[in-house]
Amino acid sequence: MSALDELLEEDEPSASSTPEGRSACPFRVFFKDARNMFKMDELASEIAQIAFPAALALTADPIASLVDTAFIGQIGPVELAAVGVSIAVFNQVSRIAIFPLVSVTTSFVAEEDAASKMAAEELESIDYEEPFSENSEMKELVPHSDPSKTMYRSSVSSDISTNMEKIEHERKHIPSVSSALVIGGILGLLQALFLIFGAIPILNFMGVKSDSPMLTPACQYLTLRSLGAPAVLLSLATQGVFRGLKDTKTPLYATVAGDATNIILDPIFIFVFNLGVSGAAIAHVISQYLIAVILLWRLLRQVDVLPPSMKDLQLGRFLKNGFLLLARVVAATFCVTLAASMAARQGSIPMAAFQICLQVWLASSLLADGLAVAGQAILANAFTRRDLRKATAAAARVLQWGMVLGLVLCALLGVGLQFASNLFTKDASVLQLIHIGVPFVALTQPINALAFVFDGINFGASDFAYSAYSMASPCGHC
């Protein structure tokens, strides 16, 4: 049973106590409080404040990749196809590490932050004036107008206020943050070494053989871009932390700054310095390190990232849940990587068209991931506080918004991509293949949106096992 089924059973036990009620759960949630779907109440405001910046941050990198694609497309279809294969390889390896790390980090940080806030609230609720209440014994011992009593009470009250101010301004101690950064840094280094030393064999496996004109530019791009893998893993782990703290604006600002730098440097390195695909890779690496530096700088001001001891690190907890999601990530990205490999084997023209369609598909699909981030953060916080009513309402609302978003994206891409494809290439053969792929890019948007949001709900409930089994096995939802 998924986290969503459990939420609905808690909310409406009588309706889901029968087999018929339980089977209707996945559909009933879309109509729960549907009349309030677009009402900007407190819940909608909280979702929007998290989801909108998160969606912009998530789509900023694919948009930057689209700009890369547009610049590289001006060089030629061979270079565009070569970069497409390299990006597919880089993304496949990255997501195996990134997706479990970010998803687990967001949930754990949200839970620990909620728990620390609950502890602080309990501390504030203590009645510090009670020892000085004027009961009969105190009246006998201390006169009502005794100045010493007044001074003592004033001193204690002042000390309490000072301590509370220190608590509010001091950096938070969240063990999951340290664990995420350690794991992110190690995985980033391993990914860089794997891709740099295995670039040619991996590209050969992807269908780019030694006699292919795509091999040299693909190898150059993949090797150089792999140098940015540590920055990518660290920055995304840090983004997971900020999402758990319900702060999606900081990752947005950092990502926009980095991607703007990438867009500015692209034409300079590609055309002015005449570096071609190598220039595009160098610009991308610089932007990734800039994003990582900004995020770490902001994080150090809010959270104490150095654990008091190694025992405070939660590496076992991270690895256990991360491995559960590993099978899910492999299953989810295998199809994309296989499709890229098949396109590469068809030649540079099909691969160039596939690269453009894939980048558009990713950029649009990730808009729904902003809703997933909001659902995950709110649900994790609500579960920690045992507020099941809010968790149920948030799950229903993000699913409803996800369904509407998917339909809107379907309509926009179905019409817009027919005309926008000329921005990426002028090659008539590539454009013809892109127009064939437009219906597939557009019609999958509603499915993608709901899939992302369902993931966010399960992750918010720390139900990583169900998410993994449901993706890896056709019977996982039973």
Side-chain angles (χ1 to χ4, degrees):
M1 184 183 295
S2 70
L4 182 59
D5 292 330
E6 294 177 359
L7 279 176
L8 290 172
E9 281 196 354
E10 291 283 349
D11 190 54
E12 301 179 45
S14 60
S16 48
S17 59
T18 64
E20 292 79 11
R22 179 176 170 182
S23 64
C25 285
F27 300 98
R28 193 174 70 251
V29 69
F30 291 104
F31 304 100
K32 179 178 174 58
D33 297 327
R35 63 183 180 278
N36 297 324
M37 184 188 304
F38 299 110
K39 182 180 179 181
M40 286 307 296
D41 51 15
E42 184 179 352
L43 177 61
S45 178
E46 185 177 6
I47 293 173
Q49 288 176 3
I50 299 173
F52 187 66
L56 292 179
L58 287 163
T59 55
D61 190 60
I63 289 173
S65 295
L66 279 175
V67 175
D68 277 352
T69 301
F71 282 126
I72 296 168
Q74 306 305 313
I75 304 174
V78 172
E79 287 77 7
L80 180 59
V83 170
V85 178
S86 298
I87 290 176
V89 171
F90 186 88
N91 287 344
Q92 171 67 26
V93 177
S94 295
R95 284 172 189 161
I96 290 175
I98 289 171
F99 190 84
L101 177 62
V102 175
S103 300
V104 171
T105 299
T106 299
S107 293
F108 290 174
V109 170
E111 292 170 2
E112 292 175 10
D113 186 49
S116 65
K117 287 180 179 178
M118 289 173 64
E121 290 169 1
E122 290 177 3
L123 182 63
E124 290 178 2
S125 66
I126 296 176
D127 187 2
Y128 292 101
E129 297 295 329
E130 184 176 354
F132 310 108
S133 61
E134 297 184 3
N135 51 37
S136 58
E137 294 181 2
M138 291 297 293
K139 284 180 179 178
E140 293 178 4
L141 295 174
V142 184
H144 180 70
S145 58
D146 190 344
S148 64
K149 174 184 174 182
T150 304
M151 292 177 62
Y152 185 67
R153 293 172 69 178
S154 176
S155 174
V156 173
S157 178
S158 176
D159 290 343
I160 293 170
S161 300
T162 303
N163 290 335
M164 291 306 299
E165 288 179 4
K166 288 181 180 179
I167 291 173
E168 290 176 0
H169 290 89
E170 70 182 3
R171 292 183 297 179
K172 299 179 180 179
H173 174 64
I174 302 177
S176 294
V177 175
S178 307
S179 306
L181 294 179
V182 169
I183 294 174
I186 293 173
L187 289 177
L189 290 173
L190 292 176
Q191 179 184 333
L193 293 173
F194 174 73
L195 290 177
I196 290 172
F197 292 104
I200 293 179
I202 294 172
L203 290 171
N204 289 338
F205 178 78
M206 289 290 292
V208 183
K209 303 300 181 182
S210 57
D211 58 346
S212 173
M214 294 187 288
L215 181 61
T216 300
C219 187
Q220 291 174 351
Y221 186 89
L222 181 59
T223 302
L224 288 171
R225 183 159 176 175
S226 298
L227 295 174
V232 172
L233 269 294
L234 277 175
S235 64
L236 286 170
T238 310
Q239 286 189 41
V241 173
F242 281 112
R243 292 177 192 175
L245 298 173
K246 295 184 180 181
D247 178 7
T248 51
K249 291 182 179 180
T250 299
L252 171 61
Y253 298 149
T255 304
V256 169
D259 288 340
T261 302
N262 182 24
I263 293 171
I264 294 170
L265 293 179
D266 260 342
I268 296 175
F269 287 148
I270 294 173
F271 303 114
V272 177
F273 294 159
N274 200 28
L275 294 175
V277 297
S278 297
I282 294 171
H284 200 89
V285 169
I286 292 174
S287 71
Q288 292 300 322
Y289 276 99
L290 177 61
I291 293 171
V293 168
I294 294 173
L295 288 172
L296 288 172
W297 171 64
R298 293 292 299 176
L299 183 65
L300 288 172
R301 298 181 62 182
Q302 299 183 34
V303 180
D304 185 5
V305 299
L306 295 177
S309 66
M310 290 298 294
K311 294 180 180 179
D312 284 350
L313 289 176
Q314 302 180 6
L315 301 182
R317 187 184 181 202
F318 266 80
L319 294 175
K320 176 185 176 182
N321 290 283
F323 277 121
L324 282 173
L325 291 180
L326 186 59
R328 183 201 177 283
V329 178
V330 172
T333 58
F334 175 76
C335 292
V336 175
T337 306
L338 178 62
S341 176
M342 297 300 293
R345 295 173 193 275
Q346 296 296 316
S348 58
I349 299 298
M351 184 60 220
F354 175 83
Q355 163 66 4
I356 293 172
C357 288
L358 177 63
Q359 291 302 319
V360 172
W361 181 83
L362 284 173
S364 56
S365 298
L366 286 175
L367 284 170
D369 210 15
L371 288 173
V373 170
Q376 181 179 3
I378 294 172
L379 261 71
N381 189 286
F383 272 117
T384 302
R385 294 177 178 271
R386 300 292 189 269
D387 190 353
L388 295 181
R389 185 174 295 277
K390 181 177 181 179
T392 306
R397 190 71 64 90
V398 293
L399 279 171
Q400 291 162 357
W401 285 13
M403 180 174 60
V404 172
L405 177 61
L407 293 173
V408 171
L409 289 174
C410 177
L412 291 177
L413 290 177
V415 177
L417 190 54
Q418 296 284 353
F419 303 98
S421 55
N422 290 307
L423 297 174
F424 301 103
T425 181
K426 303 298 181 183
D427 190 287
S429 300
V430 176
L431 288 172
Q432 183 180 1
L433 291 177
I434 291 174
H435 292 160
I436 295 174
V438 167
F440 297 95
V441 175
L443 293 175
T444 53
Q445 293 306 313
I447 302 172
N448 295 343
L450 290 178
F452 277 117
V453 176
F454 271 119
D455 276 343
I457 292 171
N458 285 315
F459 297 159
S462 293
D463 195 355
F464 302 108
Y466 179 84
S467 228
Y469 296 147
S470 63
M471 175 64 73
S473 169
C475 300
H477 65 282
C478 298

PDB file of all heavy atoms in Angstrom, residues 128-129 132 146-164:
ATOM      1  N   TYR A 128       7.794  30.222  32.501  1.00  0.00           N
ATOM      2  CA  TYR A 128       8.923  30.562  33.382  1.00  0.00           C
ATOM      3  C   TYR A 128       8.494  31.419  34.573  1.00  0.00           C
ATOM      4  O   TYR A 128       9.237  31.569  35.541  1.00  0.00           O
ATOM      5  CB  TYR A 128       9.992  31.320  32.582  1.00  0.00           C
ATOM      6  CG  TYR A 128      10.672  30.459  31.565  1.00  0.00           C
ATOM      7  CD1 TYR A 128      10.309  30.528  30.219  1.00  0.00           C
ATOM      8  CD2 TYR A 128      11.662  29.550  31.936  1.00  0.00           C
ATOM      9  CE1 TYR A 128      10.928  29.738  29.279  1.00  0.00           C
ATOM     10  CE2 TYR A 128      12.284  28.750  30.994  1.00  0.00           C
ATOM     11  CZ  TYR A 128      11.920  28.847  29.673  1.00  0.00           C
ATOM     12  OH  TYR A 128      12.524  28.060  28.735  1.00  0.00           O
ATOM     13  N   GLU A 129       7.306  31.991  34.516  1.00  0.00           N
ATOM     14  CA  GLU A 129       6.864  32.841  35.612  1.00  0.00           C
ATOM     15  C   GLU A 129       6.242  32.041  36.743  1.00  0.00           C
ATOM     16  O   GLU A 129       5.991  32.556  37.816  1.00  0.00           O
ATOM     17  CB  GLU A 129       5.832  33.858  35.092  1.00  0.00           C
ATOM     18  CG  GLU A 129       6.384  34.825  34.050  1.00  0.00           C
ATOM     19  CD  GLU A 129       7.435  35.721  34.656  1.00  0.00           C
ATOM     20  OE1 GLU A 129       7.335  36.013  35.855  1.00  0.00           O
ATOM     21  OE2 GLU A 129       8.369  36.109  33.944  1.00  0.00           O
ATOM     22  N   PHE A 132       7.390  32.028  40.350  1.00  0.00           N
ATOM     23  CA  PHE A 132       7.245  33.282  41.062  1.00  0.00           C
ATOM     24  C   PHE A 132       5.784  33.686  41.226  1.00  0.00           C
ATOM     25  O   PHE A 132       5.483  34.814  41.538  1.00  0.00           O
ATOM     26  CB  PHE A 132       7.985  34.399  40.303  1.00  0.00           C
ATOM     27  CG  PHE A 132       9.384  34.014  39.966  1.00  0.00           C
ATOM     28  CD1 PHE A 132       9.723  33.727  38.647  1.00  0.00           C
ATOM     29  CD2 PHE A 132      10.357  33.900  40.941  1.00  0.00           C
ATOM     30  CE1 PHE A 132      11.012  33.363  38.329  1.00  0.00           C
ATOM     31  CE2 PHE A 132      11.645  33.536  40.613  1.00  0.00           C
ATOM     32  CZ  PHE A 132      11.969  33.258  39.305  1.00  0.00           C
ATOM     33  N   ASP A 146       8.157  43.385  47.637  1.00  0.00           N
ATOM     34  CA  ASP A 146       9.590  43.200  47.898  1.00  0.00           C
ATOM     35  C   ASP A 146      10.378  43.491  46.635  1.00  0.00           C
ATOM     36  O   ASP A 146      10.235  42.803  45.622  1.00  0.00           O
ATOM     37  CB  ASP A 146       9.834  41.768  48.361  1.00  0.00           C
ATOM     38  CG  ASP A 146      11.258  41.589  48.887  1.00  0.00           C
ATOM     39  OD1 ASP A 146      12.098  42.468  48.603  1.00  0.00           O
ATOM     40  OD2 ASP A 146      11.502  40.573  49.552  1.00  0.00           O
ATOM     41  N   PRO A 147      11.248  44.494  46.641  1.00  0.00           N
ATOM     42  CA  PRO A 147      12.017  44.841  45.432  1.00  0.00           C
ATOM     43  C   PRO A 147      12.990  43.745  45.016  1.00  0.00           C
ATOM     44  O   PRO A 147      13.316  43.613  43.844  1.00  0.00           O
ATOM     45  CB  PRO A 147      12.761  46.120  45.844  1.00  0.00           C
ATOM     46  CG  PRO A 147      12.799  46.072  47.343  1.00  0.00           C
ATOM     47  CD  PRO A 147      11.545  45.395  47.774  1.00  0.00           C
ATOM     48  N   SER A 148      13.486  42.947  45.982  1.00  0.00           N
ATOM     49  CA  SER A 148      14.425  41.883  45.610  1.00  0.00           C
ATOM     50  C   SER A 148      13.762  40.855  44.723  1.00  0.00           C
ATOM     51  O   SER A 148      14.368  40.299  43.810  1.00  0.00           O
ATOM     52  CB  SER A 148      14.987  41.212  46.871  1.00  0.00           C
ATOM     53  OG  SER A 148      13.958  40.559  47.591  1.00  0.00           O
ATOM     54  N   LYS A 149      12.461  40.560  45.011  1.00  0.00           N
ATOM     55  CA  LYS A 149      11.728  39.586  44.194  1.00  0.00           C
ATOM     56  C   LYS A 149      11.560  40.127  42.779  1.00  0.00           C
ATOM     57  O   LYS A 149      11.749  39.419  41.794  1.00  0.00           O
ATOM     58  CB  LYS A 149      10.366  39.307  44.832  1.00  0.00           C
ATOM     59  CG  LYS A 149       9.478  38.407  43.966  1.00  0.00           C
ATOM     60  CD  LYS A 149       8.102  38.253  44.601  1.00  0.00           C
ATOM     61  CE  LYS A 149       7.178  37.480  43.689  1.00  0.00           C
ATOM     62  NZ  LYS A 149       5.832  37.341  44.233  1.00  0.00           N
ATOM     63  N   THR A 150      11.228  41.407  42.701  1.00  0.00           N
ATOM     64  CA  THR A 150      11.023  42.009  41.376  1.00  0.00           C
ATOM     65  C   THR A 150      12.306  41.996  40.565  1.00  0.00           C
ATOM     66  O   THR A 150      12.321  41.687  39.376  1.00  0.00           O
ATOM     67  CB  THR A 150      10.525  43.455  41.541  1.00  0.00           C
ATOM     68  OG1 THR A 150       9.337  43.438  42.330  1.00  0.00           O
ATOM     69  CG2 THR A 150      10.247  44.105  40.200  1.00  0.00           C
ATOM     70  N   MET A 151      13.424  42.325  41.213  1.00  0.00           N
ATOM     71  CA  MET A 151      14.707  42.332  40.527  1.00  0.00           C
ATOM     72  C   MET A 151      15.096  40.927  40.074  1.00  0.00           C
ATOM     73  O   MET A 151      15.616  40.720  38.984  1.00  0.00           O
ATOM     74  CB  MET A 151      15.785  42.909  41.454  1.00  0.00           C
ATOM     75  CG  MET A 151      15.617  44.401  41.747  1.00  0.00           C
ATOM     76  SD  MET A 151      16.856  45.001  42.901  1.00  0.00           S
ATOM     77  CE  MET A 151      18.341  44.689  41.977  1.00  0.00           C
ATOM     78  N   TYR A 152      14.843  39.913  40.929  1.00  0.00           N
ATOM     79  CA  TYR A 152      15.208  38.536  40.584  1.00  0.00           C
ATOM     80  C   TYR A 152      14.410  38.042  39.379  1.00  0.00           C
ATOM     81  O   TYR A 152      14.941  37.437  38.466  1.00  0.00           O
ATOM     82  CB  TYR A 152      14.983  37.642  41.799  1.00  0.00           C
ATOM     83  CG  TYR A 152      15.441  36.215  41.583  1.00  0.00           C
ATOM     84  CD1 TYR A 152      16.787  35.921  41.427  1.00  0.00           C
ATOM     85  CD2 TYR A 152      14.511  35.185  41.530  1.00  0.00           C
ATOM     86  CE1 TYR A 152      17.206  34.619  41.227  1.00  0.00           C
ATOM     87  CE2 TYR A 152      14.923  33.882  41.336  1.00  0.00           C
ATOM     88  CZ  TYR A 152      16.273  33.599  41.184  1.00  0.00           C
ATOM     89  OH  TYR A 152      16.682  32.310  40.988  1.00  0.00           O
ATOM     90  N   ARG A 153      13.083  38.338  39.429  1.00  0.00           N
ATOM     91  CA  ARG A 153      12.238  37.907  38.323  1.00  0.00           C
ATOM     92  C   ARG A 153      12.645  38.598  37.029  1.00  0.00           C
ATOM     93  O   ARG A 153      12.666  38.007  35.956  1.00  0.00           O
ATOM     94  CB  ARG A 153      10.772  38.216  38.641  1.00  0.00           C
ATOM     95  CG  ARG A 153      10.235  37.395  39.786  1.00  0.00           C
ATOM     96  CD  ARG A 153       8.866  37.849  40.192  1.00  0.00           C
ATOM     97  NE  ARG A 153       7.875  37.551  39.178  1.00  0.00           N
ATOM     98  CZ  ARG A 153       6.577  37.818  39.327  1.00  0.00           C
ATOM     99  NH1 ARG A 153       6.136  38.389  40.424  1.00  0.00           N
ATOM    100  NH2 ARG A 153       5.742  37.505  38.360  1.00  0.00           N
ATOM    101  N   SER A 154      12.993  39.865  37.126  1.00  0.00           N
ATOM    102  CA  SER A 154      13.418  40.619  35.943  1.00  0.00           C
ATOM    103  C   SER A 154      14.710  40.055  35.377  1.00  0.00           C
ATOM    104  O   SER A 154      14.894  39.949  34.170  1.00  0.00           O
ATOM    105  CB  SER A 154      13.597  42.091  36.311  1.00  0.00           C
ATOM    106  OG  SER A 154      14.102  42.817  35.219  1.00  0.00           O
ATOM    107  N   SER A 155      15.637  39.649  36.280  1.00  0.00           N
ATOM    108  CA  SER A 155      16.912  39.082  35.846  1.00  0.00           C
ATOM    109  C   SER A 155      16.719  37.761  35.117  1.00  0.00           C
ATOM    110  O   SER A 155      17.303  37.519  34.063  1.00  0.00           O
ATOM    111  CB  SER A 155      17.827  38.890  37.058  1.00  0.00           C
ATOM    112  OG  SER A 155      19.017  38.222  36.676  1.00  0.00           O
ATOM    113  N   VAL A 156      15.858  36.873  35.701  1.00  0.00           N
ATOM    114  CA  VAL A 156      15.609  35.581  35.082  1.00  0.00           C
ATOM    115  C   VAL A 156      14.937  35.749  33.722  1.00  0.00           C
ATOM    116  O   VAL A 156      15.273  35.102  32.736  1.00  0.00           O
ATOM    117  CB  VAL A 156      14.752  34.690  36.009  1.00  0.00           C
ATOM    118  CG1 VAL A 156      14.338  33.407  35.278  1.00  0.00           C
ATOM    119  CG2 VAL A 156      15.527  34.346  37.262  1.00  0.00           C
ATOM    120  N   SER A 157      13.949  36.675  33.680  1.00  0.00           N
ATOM    121  CA  SER A 157      13.243  36.926  32.424  1.00  0.00           C
ATOM    122  C   SER A 157      14.203  37.432  31.354  1.00  0.00           C
ATOM    123  O   SER A 157      14.126  37.051  30.185  1.00  0.00           O
ATOM    124  CB  SER A 157      12.118  37.933  32.655  1.00  0.00           C
ATOM    125  OG  SER A 157      11.467  38.227  31.450  1.00  0.00           O
ATOM    126  N   SER A 158      15.130  38.298  31.768  1.00  0.00           N
ATOM    127  CA  SER A 158      16.115  38.825  30.814  1.00  0.00           C
ATOM    128  C   SER A 158      17.027  37.722  30.295  1.00  0.00           C
ATOM    129  O   SER A 158      17.346  37.662  29.107  1.00  0.00           O
ATOM    130  CB  SER A 158      16.937  39.918  31.481  1.00  0.00           C
ATOM    131  OG  SER A 158      17.950  40.379  30.623  1.00  0.00           O
ATOM    132  N   ASP A 159      17.447  36.808  31.207  1.00  0.00           N
ATOM    133  CA  ASP A 159      18.306  35.697  30.792  1.00  0.00           C
ATOM    134  C   ASP A 159      17.584  34.791  29.811  1.00  0.00           C
ATOM    135  O   ASP A 159      18.170  34.313  28.828  1.00  0.00           O
ATOM    136  CB  ASP A 159      18.743  34.885  32.022  1.00  0.00           C
ATOM    137  CG  ASP A 159      19.721  35.656  32.896  1.00  0.00           C
ATOM    138  OD1 ASP A 159      20.294  36.642  32.388  1.00  0.00           O
ATOM    139  OD2 ASP A 159      19.898  35.271  34.071  1.00  0.00           O
ATOM    140  N   ILE A 160      16.295  34.543  30.073  1.00  0.00           N
ATOM    141  CA  ILE A 160      15.521  33.678  29.178  1.00  0.00           C
ATOM    142  C   ILE A 160      15.415  34.306  27.800  1.00  0.00           C
ATOM    143  O   ILE A 160      15.596  33.642  26.776  1.00  0.00           O
ATOM    144  CB  ILE A 160      14.115  33.416  29.763  1.00  0.00           C
ATOM    145  CG1 ILE A 160      14.230  32.581  31.037  1.00  0.00           C
ATOM    146  CG2 ILE A 160      13.222  32.704  28.750  1.00  0.00           C
ATOM    147  CD1 ILE A 160      12.926  32.471  31.805  1.00  0.00           C
ATOM    148  N   SER A 161      15.127  35.613  27.758  1.00  0.00           N
ATOM    149  CA  SER A 161      15.006  36.306  26.471  1.00  0.00           C
ATOM    150  C   SER A 161      16.316  36.266  25.704  1.00  0.00           C
ATOM    151  O   SER A 161      16.345  36.045  24.491  1.00  0.00           O
ATOM    152  CB  SER A 161      14.575  37.760  26.695  1.00  0.00           C
ATOM    153  OG  SER A 161      13.325  37.817  27.351  1.00  0.00           O
ATOM    154  N   THR A 162      17.425  36.469  26.438  1.00  0.00           N
ATOM    155  CA  THR A 162      18.737  36.431  25.786  1.00  0.00           C
ATOM    156  C   THR A 162      19.027  35.062  25.208  1.00  0.00           C
ATOM    157  O   THR A 162      19.510  34.927  24.083  1.00  0.00           O
ATOM    158  CB  THR A 162      19.836  36.818  26.792  1.00  0.00           C
ATOM    159  OG1 THR A 162      19.548  38.107  27.316  1.00  0.00           O
ATOM    160  CG2 THR A 162      21.201  36.823  26.115  1.00  0.00           C
ATOM    161  N   ASN A 163      18.728  34.008  25.967  1.00  0.00           N
ATOM    162  CA  ASN A 163      18.965  32.641  25.492  1.00  0.00           C
ATOM    163  C   ASN A 163      18.112  32.308  24.277  1.00  0.00           C
ATOM    164  O   ASN A 163      18.555  31.638  23.351  1.00  0.00           O
ATOM    165  CB  ASN A 163      18.689  31.632  26.617  1.00  0.00           C
ATOM    166  CG  ASN A 163      19.726  31.699  27.716  1.00  0.00           C
ATOM    167  OD1 ASN A 163      20.854  32.117  27.468  1.00  0.00           O
ATOM    168  ND2 ASN A 163      19.347  31.312  28.923  1.00  0.00           N
ATOM    169  N   MET A 164      16.842  32.748  24.281  1.00  0.00           N
ATOM    170  CA  MET A 164      15.971  32.486  23.161  1.00  0.00           C
ATOM    171  C   MET A 164      16.458  33.191  21.903  1.00  0.00           C
ATOM    172  O   MET A 164      16.376  32.674  20.799  1.00  0.00           O
ATOM    173  CB  MET A 164      14.528  32.914  23.486  1.00  0.00           C
ATOM    174  CG  MET A 164      13.852  32.060  24.538  1.00  0.00           C
ATOM    175  SD  MET A 164      13.877  30.289  24.139  1.00  0.00           S
ATOM    176  CE  MET A 164      12.956  30.285  22.619  1.00  0.00           C
TER     177      MET A 164
END
